[in-house]
Amino acid sequence: VSDLESALRGGAAVVAAFFSPSGIEALERLLSAEAVARMRREATALARGATTHAALDSRGYRHALYPEGNATFESRAAEALHEISRDRT
């Protein structure tokens, strides 16, 4: 996770995909408290489904997305990547 820590410290755009609430917990245990705070505040977090999205929301992730309606996980991921690349140009 050292590359993720560095990216967060440097203000890089970060998109993280989570497939379960336990995956969120596992990553947060590996990161420093500062990196967790930055992830929650700044990263775009993609949840595979509603349960994982609820876990992100309860932990305070400000930019948490998941596929709703006819959207797929892959389409939400592509949308998130497009948005951050557009914001960085």
Side-chain angles (χ1 to χ4, degrees):
V1 295
S2 61
D3 289 342
L4 178 56
E5 292 255 2
S6 295
L8 290 164
R9 238 186 339 270
V14 171
V15 176
F18 295 99
F19 292 80
S20 68
S22 62
I24 302 164
E25 291 176 25
L27 179 62
E28 288 190 349
R29 271 184 274 154
L30 296 171
L31 294 171
S32 67
E34 177 187 334
V36 169
R38 286 180 188 260
M39 279 285 293
R40 291 177 178 181
R41 185 177 60 246
E42 300 168 12
T44 298
L46 299 170
R48 185 71 177 173
T51 301
T52 304
H53 182 263
L56 289 165
D57 190 52
S58 72
R59 289 174 173 275
Y61 281 78
R62 292 187 185 166
H63 309 284
L65 307 171
Y66 78 105
E68 297 178 82
N70 293 332
T72 64
F73 180 78
E74 291 77 9
S75 69
R76 289 300 270 166
E79 179 183 316
L81 291 171
H82 177 74
E83 285 181 30
I84 66 165
S85 65
R86 184 184 61 217
D87 291 345
R88 294 288 178 174
T89 58

